[in-house]
Amino acid sequence: MNVRTDLATEAREMVNQSRTAEKEIEGVSYSEKKEESFTVSKVIVDEIGAEKIGKKPGTYRTIYSDAIKKQDTKLQQQTARVLAKELSQIMNECGIDSNASGLIVGLGNRNVTPDALGPIVMDKILVTNHLFVHEPSYVKDGYRRVSTIVPGVMGVTGIETSELIHGIIKEIKPDFVIAIDALASRSIERVNATIQLSDTGIHPGSGVGNTRKEISQETLGIPVIAIGVPTVVDAVTIASDAMDYVLKHIGRELEEIDRPSKALAPGGMVFGKKVLTKKDMPTKDRQETILGMFGTLKETEKRALMQEVLTPLGHNLMVTPKEIDGYIKDMAHLIAEATNASLHENVTLDNFGSYTR
C-alpha cells in the first residue's frame, strides 16, 4: 500500500494554488478533461518541476469517479471504459506496441481486505503467456503475451518485492510492467473515489510507513506503469479534513443564516446530499474566532501538529470504510476489465466484460 500516485491530485492542487497567486509552477503542467461523465486530470512534471515540488518527473493521471461508492453497475462500466482509454494512452506514450509482452503485478496482501486490490485483480486478468509458449497454434492475432504475478508482501515472504519481480523479469523477459496497488489517501474524499495512473513506478508499503525499494524503469530496465486506488486514510487526514468540514459548515451557516429559506427548514433536517466547497470556508479572521490559535495554522502546519500528537501515542490509525469488502471486489473487476481491454486488441471497450471473470 503506497501514496506515490496520489501526486496527480496533489499537483493539481499545487497548480490551482499557484494560479490563485497569479504564478505558475515552472516545469509542472496541468490539464483537465471530461470523459463520459467523469473528470480526468493530467499532470506532467519535468526535471525542473520535480525539483520545485519534490516529486519524481513523469506523467500522472487521475480519474474521478464515485461509481464504486454508489455501487452503480452502469457507472462502473463507464469508468472501466475511461480507464481503458487512459491506460492505452500511457502505454502508447511509453512506446509499448501491440506485440510487446507484459508482466502484470498485483501488489499487496490478499489477507488484508483494503490491501488486497492488486491480488484480486490478478485473478481476473486474461493470461496468455503459457499459450504462446506451449500452444502457439491456438493463439489468434489480436492478443499479446501476458503474465501475472502476486509477489506478496515482505512481512510474509521475507523477500523484497522488487527483487522478486526483477528475478521474474530476468526469466520471462517482458517488455513492460503494469503494477496495481492500493493507496493510502491524503483526503477523505478520494478514498475509493479516484483511480490514479503514472509512468513513474511505485514504492510498495510507503503509505503505511514501510517503504520498500521502488519498482520503476530505473530499477527494472523496462517501462513500469502504476495503477492505484486509495482504499485507506490515516487518522491525521481524517482529523484535518474533519476540521475543514467544520469550518466550511459554520461558514455556510453564517452566510445563510438570514436567508428566508433557512427559517423554513426544520432544525437538523437535511434535504438531499450536502456538498461543502472551498467557497464555504470562512475568512482567516473568522477561522481564528471559531478555532482560536488552531484556526490560524496553515494546512501543512495543521497536519504536522496532528502527526506530532497522534503518532507517539500510537493513535495515527489507518482507517477504511465499513463497505470495503464490496468496494474492493467491484474495483478489482473494473480495473481488470480496463486492463484486459488495453492489453489485447481483440478485447474491446464493448466486449471486455466477456473476457473478465
Side-chain angles (χ1 to χ4, degrees):
M1 185 172 292
N2 78 92
V3 294
R4 280 192 59 77
T5 49
D6 242 10
L7 172 62
T9 302
E10 294 164 13
R12 181 195 69 165
E13 293 167 353
M14 291 179 185
V15 171
N16 288 341
Q17 289 170 6
S18 68
R19 285 173 177 167
T20 302
E22 298 183 350
K23 63 179 180 179
E24 299 288 341
I25 300 177
E26 185 181 4
V28 179
S29 65
Y30 171 78
S31 61
E32 194 172 275
K33 63 181 179 180
K34 280 287 185 179
E35 285 285 353
E36 300 206 18
S37 57
F38 311 111
T39 300
V40 181
S41 67
K42 181 180 180 181
V43 178
I44 301 176
V45 182
D46 64 18
E47 296 292 341
I48 296 175
E51 292 184 6
K52 295 280 186 180
I53 64 176
K55 300 294 183 180
K56 194 172 181 179
T59 302
Y60 304 82
R61 287 174 166 87
T62 299
I63 301 169
Y64 300 86
S65 170
D66 58 359
I68 297 299
K69 284 186 173 181
K70 288 184 175 179
Q71 297 182 306
D72 188 315
T73 302
K74 183 177 180 181
L75 285 179
Q76 289 173 17
Q77 290 290 308
Q78 292 176 0
T79 306
R81 287 197 293 268
V82 173
L83 176 57
K85 290 180 182 178
E86 295 302 315
L87 181 54
S88 295
Q89 288 180 14
I90 291 183
M91 291 173 68
N92 290 334
E93 292 170 3
C94 291
I96 300 170
D97 61 38
S98 59
N99 295 319
S101 60
L103 173 65
I104 319 303
V105 180
L107 298 171
N109 188 340
R110 188 186 291 271
N111 298 316
V112 180
T113 303
D115 197 29
L117 179 65
I120 295 176
V121 172
M122 294 307 100
D123 294 339
K124 300 172 179 290
I125 293 295
L126 179 59
V127 177
T128 58
N129 184 68
H130 59 301
L131 298 176
F132 277 91
V133 174
H134 300 292
E135 298 288 347
S137 61
Y138 285 91
V139 183
K140 296 181 179 179
D141 292 337
Y143 297 94
R144 74 166 82 229
R145 291 180 62 164
V146 173
S147 308
T148 65
I149 181 66
V150 180
V153 293
M154 191 175 183
V156 174
T157 65
I159 306 172
E160 281 278 5
T161 301
S162 62
E163 292 175 357
L164 283 169
I165 296 171
H166 196 268
I168 293 169
I169 288 174
K170 283 184 177 180
E171 290 296 321
I172 67 173
K173 297 178 173 58
D175 297 310
F176 66 93
V177 168
I178 297 178
I180 300 169
D181 197 9
L183 311 179
S185 181
R186 292 178 181 167
S187 168
I188 295 175
E189 292 181 345
R190 295 202 292 268
V191 176
N192 297 301
T194 61
I195 303 173
Q196 302 168 18
L197 305 93
S198 78
D199 59 6
T200 61
I202 204 162
H203 276 78
S206 63
V208 291
N210 300 322
T211 305
R212 305 267 75 87
K213 292 181 181 179
E214 74 173 15
I215 301 168
S216 66
Q217 184 162 0
E218 289 76 15
T219 60
L220 300 181
I222 55 177
V224 177
I225 298 171
I227 302 175
V229 177
T231 60
V232 300
V233 65
D234 65 4
V236 167
T237 297
I238 294 173
S240 178
D241 285 359
M243 295 307 299
D244 284 346
Y245 287 134
V246 168
L247 287 170
K248 290 174 183 178
H249 172 77
I250 294 175
R252 177 178 290 188
E253 290 293 310
L254 291 173
E255 290 295 322
E256 296 180 349
I257 193 167
D258 294 327
R259 292 184 183 179
S261 58
K262 189 72 174 178
L264 296 174
M269 184 171 289
V270 178
F271 299 94
K273 182 180 178 180
K274 186 174 184 179
V275 178
L276 296 172
T277 67
K278 288 184 178 180
K279 294 180 180 179
D280 297 314
M281 185 67 76
T283 63
K284 290 294 182 182
D285 291 340
R286 280 186 169 179
Q287 290 182 41
E288 184 175 1
T289 301
I290 297 167
L291 295 179
M293 183 188 71
F294 195 85
T296 66
L297 297 178
K298 297 179 181 179
E299 180 67 22
T300 53
E301 295 172 336
K302 183 171 55 178
R303 286 179 178 269
L305 175 59
M306 292 179 179
Q307 185 88 29
E308 182 182 341
V309 172
L310 293 178
T311 302
L313 297 173
H315 296 334
N316 191 19
L317 308 177
M318 302 303 294
V319 183
T320 194
K322 64 180 183 297
E323 305 92 347
I324 191 62
D325 295 85
Y327 288 169
I328 289 292
K329 181 180 178 180
D330 290 345
M331 185 63 79
H333 191 79
L334 185 160
I335 292 176
E337 286 184 325
T339 304
N340 286 336
S342 300
L343 292 173
H344 306 286
E345 290 183 351
N346 281 357
V347 183
T348 68
L349 299 179
D350 297 319
N351 69 9
F352 56 32
S354 301
Y355 289 86
T356 307
R357 292 172 287 181

